[in-house]
Amino acid sequence: MARAHEASGAEIVTVAVRRVNLTDKSKESLLDYIDRAKYFILPNTAGCYSAEEAVRAARLAREVGLSNWVKLEVIGDEKTLFPDNFELVKATETLVKEGFVVMPYTNDDLIAARRLMDAGAAAVMPLGAPIGSGLGIQNPANIRILREFVTTVPLILDAGVGTASDAAVAMELGADAVLMNTGIAQAQDAVLMAEAMKHAVVAGRQAYLAGRMAKKLYATASSPLEGVVR
């Protein structure tokens, strides 16, 4: 994991509050292997199924000194791990009032994004595909729509990235960043995949900023004849 962090070029590492040892210093913790001088720790509320649970997890992370930033997850379905946007907005409102910097994981839905921004979210983090599926972005049109309307906070693709090309596509569509785990962790060579993801994110961002050529139905000569003297 530590080697993959280094290879990826990541600046932020997210950890599940409910799945790491936060309080018993005598026992081993995943946090022991994350260099906090290099990486900003972003606690997340994975495994929470209600606003109340998620708020409690975020408060715990802050109390033990991790951060007042939180990647907010409120899951609505155990099999698909799709978010419960109703509970998500409720939790966002509560945590923002308590001074948290809230980065919610949500569907690729414009209306949900607007409500989260209205609630004070510091970012919008739509899924590209179900968590851990590795399917890549299943609805590019929705990501484009979100990019058009989410202009006051970062747009971060969260979930579904399986390989480097998926990360590049996310960035080409205008995402400000990509959050990933399984695509690296379950690769046959996790460290090499982490490095590939780094290059893909950079290339995708450059392509977005450069502006791609228009798509056309028919061929256009790469060496046009206009101006050629016969």
Side-chain angles (χ1 to χ4, degrees):
M1 180 191 72
R3 288 169 58 214
H5 288 168
E6 185 71 27
S8 72
E11 297 178 5
I12 297 174
V13 176
T14 183
V15 296
V17 175
R18 299 186 64 179
R19 295 171 183 160
V20 296
N21 172 28
L22 296 176
T23 55
D24 190 346
K25 302 299 183 183
S26 66
K27 295 182 179 179
E28 187 177 51
S29 170
L30 187 69
L31 292 170
D32 298 334
Y33 300 93
I34 301 173
D35 186 346
R36 297 183 68 175
K38 290 184 178 179
Y39 308 108
F40 179 82
I41 299 293
L42 177 64
N44 71 62
T45 61
C48 295
Y49 284 81
S50 70
E52 183 180 0
E53 278 187 286
V55 168
R56 188 183 308 119
R59 288 170 177 164
L60 173 61
R62 184 165 67 178
E63 285 300 314
V64 299
L66 283 185
S67 180
N68 69 325
W69 290 51
V70 60
K71 180 198 168 193
L72 183 62
E73 296 184 31
V74 184
I75 301 302
D77 179 74
E78 190 172 355
K79 185 174 182 179
T80 64
L81 300 182
F82 285 155
D84 182 334
N85 287 328
F86 300 99
E87 291 290 291
L88 189 65
V89 171
K90 187 191 303 184
T92 299
E93 291 172 339
T94 299
L95 291 171
V96 167
K97 288 176 182 176
E98 295 184 9
F100 284 88
V101 178
V102 183
M103 303 171 68
Y105 157 72
T106 183
N107 290 322
D108 55 348
D109 177 80
L110 174 61
I111 308 308
R114 281 177 169 166
R115 290 181 177 173
L116 289 166
M117 288 189 290
D118 288 344
V124 173
M125 302 176 65
L127 56 82
I131 293 173
S133 67
L135 289 171
I137 297 174
Q138 294 297 291
N139 199 334
N142 276 13
I143 303 301
R144 286 195 181 97
I145 290 170
L146 285 169
R147 178 66 290 167
E148 182 178 348
F149 289 94
V150 177
T151 58
T152 58
V153 298
L155 179 67
I156 303 172
L157 189 88
D158 182 6
V161 170
T163 190
S165 58
D166 298 332
V169 168
M171 299 303 289
E172 287 176 7
L173 291 171
D176 293 299
V178 180
L179 192 149
M180 60 186 76
N181 175 26
T182 314
I184 293 174
Q186 293 190 2
Q188 294 182 33
D189 186 329
V191 177
L192 187 58
M193 181 61 80
E195 186 176 0
M197 293 293 194
K198 175 177 68 175
H199 295 308
V201 166
V202 171
R205 182 61 177 175
Q206 289 176 332
Y208 173 74
L209 295 173
R212 65 158 292 140
M213 63 171 285
K215 294 182 179 181
K216 304 171 187 177
L217 183 60
Y218 298 106
T220 300
S222 57
S223 300
L225 297 177
E226 286 83 355
V228 174
V229 179
R230 294 182 179 273

